[in-house]
């Protein structure tokens, strides 16, 4: 898969990926082109297959819708809800679920915390202008893919968001920066540009998540690490 590694950081876990009907490569090499739908299925051996077109094989299901979030600023019909919970207790309220999800999906607990901090500042009621919801700001389409029934349910949201991080980490061969960029801009955008997309928001997001990731790894007290520097 023509995705450029941008750091030595790794979130590797065993999963085999196969790019079928390699239109994916063409998309990644032509940033100006429209992003096609991407379809996937997992075979009996656990190998994940991708295609950028329907192949007549009924096993392929839609994985990425052919759009690009880079220019999106607001989605029609969305009523944004800014994070408003200012209690220090919120930084430790979800500890058990964060640990469970991190262990289940083999994602560093500190990365899950960093994403929650940067996405919603630990407020499960938050809604972004484009419609992302809850602690880990899942888009409705992503929540559906991650089998999250209620994105405002803190436990469901944490498990769904962490599962998505695991999928992204596997898709991008454990590369931390690409995993974080994919969480913000969508895996399709990362594949399209062959690296971190050239969006100011995404580039700033990668830096911010990495900053908090480092803080959570070096500061034992999650509440202290969560407070804005």
């Amino acid at each position: 898969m023509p995705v450029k590694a941008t750091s030595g950081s790794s979130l590797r876990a065993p999963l085999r990926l196969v790019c079928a009907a390699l239109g994916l490569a063409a998309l990644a090499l032509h940033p100006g082109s429209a992003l096609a739908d991407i379809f996937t299925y997992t075979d009996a051996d656990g190998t994940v297959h991708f295609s950028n077109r329907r192949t007549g094989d009924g096993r392929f299901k839609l994985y990425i819708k052919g759009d690009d979030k880079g220019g999106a600023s607001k989605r029609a019909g969305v009523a944004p809800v800014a994070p408003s919970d200012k209690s220090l207790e919120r930084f430790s309220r979800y500890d058990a679920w964060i640990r469970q999800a991190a262990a289940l999906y083999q994602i560093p607990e500190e990365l899950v915390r960093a994403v929650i901090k940067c996405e919603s500042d630990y407020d499960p009621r938050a809604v972004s202008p484009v419609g992302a919801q809850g602690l880990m700001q899942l888009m409705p389409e992503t929540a559906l893919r991650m089998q999250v029934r209620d994105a405002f349910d803190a436990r469901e949201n944490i498990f769904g968001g962490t599962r998505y991080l695991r999928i992204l980490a596997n898709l991008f061969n454990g590369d931390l920066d690409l995993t974080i960029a994919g969480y913000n801009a969508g895996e399709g955008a990362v594949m399209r540009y062959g690296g971190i997309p050239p969006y100011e928001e995404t580039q700033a997001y990668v830096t911010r998540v990495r900053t908090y990731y480092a803080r959570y790894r070096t500061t034992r007290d999650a509440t202290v690490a969560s407070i804005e520097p």
Side-chain angles (χ1 to χ4, degrees):
M1 184 175 297
V3 176
K4 177 176 60 180
T6 57
S7 77
S9 301
S10 176
L11 300 169
R12 294 185 183 278
L15 180 66
R16 286 175 292 170
L17 299 170
V18 175
C19 294
L22 291 175
L24 296 180
L27 288 171
L29 293 171
H30 293 84
S33 63
L35 185 62
D37 291 348
I38 296 176
F39 302 87
T40 185
Y41 82 89
T42 304
D43 66 22
D45 295 328
T47 301
V48 181
H49 300 258
F50 292 93
S51 174
N52 70 320
R53 61 178 181 270
R54 294 190 182 277
T55 64
D57 187 333
R59 293 174 297 178
F60 277 99
K61 305 298 181 184
L62 182 64
Y63 182 65
I64 303 172
K65 189 66 180 170
D67 56 7
D68 195 325
K69 298 199 305 182
S73 58
K74 191 177 188 305
R75 177 177 287 192
V78 171
V81 178
S84 60
D85 187 349
K86 302 302 180 184
S87 66
L88 291 179
E89 187 268 337
R90 75 189 188 277
F91 296 130
S92 58
R93 186 180 299 152
Y94 311 105
D95 283 1
W97 295 334
I98 292 171
R99 292 192 193 103
Q100 290 167 11
L104 178 63
Y105 293 114
Q106 300 179 55
I107 289 293
E109 178 184 329
E110 299 87 352
L111 179 59
V112 179
R113 291 185 181 278
V115 170
I116 292 174
K117 170 63 183 177
C118 294
E119 289 287 351
S120 69
D121 198 23
Y122 287 81
D123 191 334
R125 300 163 297 185
V127 179
S128 79
V130 296
Q133 301 172 336
L135 286 172
M136 297 188 75
Q137 290 290 277
L138 299 177
M139 293 294 289
E141 299 85 354
T142 304
L144 182 64
R145 286 165 52 196
M146 298 302 109
Q147 301 177 9
V148 173
R149 295 168 297 179
D150 181 1
F152 295 108
D153 180 285
R155 183 183 183 279
E156 279 200 64
N157 194 290
I158 290 169
F159 274 78
T162 307
R163 182 183 183 191
Y164 187 37
L165 285 171
R166 178 71 270 156
I167 289 172
L168 291 167
N170 288 343
L171 185 62
F172 298 126
N173 298 314
D175 186 277
L176 178 61
D177 286 348
L178 298 185
T179 297
I180 296 170
Y183 196 93
N184 176 260
E187 61 265 52
V190 176
M191 293 164 72
R192 174 182 177 182
Y193 288 101
I196 298 174
Y199 312 144
E200 290 185 12
E201 175 191 334
T202 300
Q203 293 172 353
Y205 179 82
V206 172
T207 299
R208 191 158 187 259
V209 170
R210 266 195 164 275
T211 298
Y212 275 102
Y213 180 43
R215 292 188 68 182
Y216 285 120
R217 294 182 71 184
T218 57
T219 306
R220 288 182 175 274
D221 190 327
T223 298
V224 172
S226 300
I227 297 173
E228 296 284 351

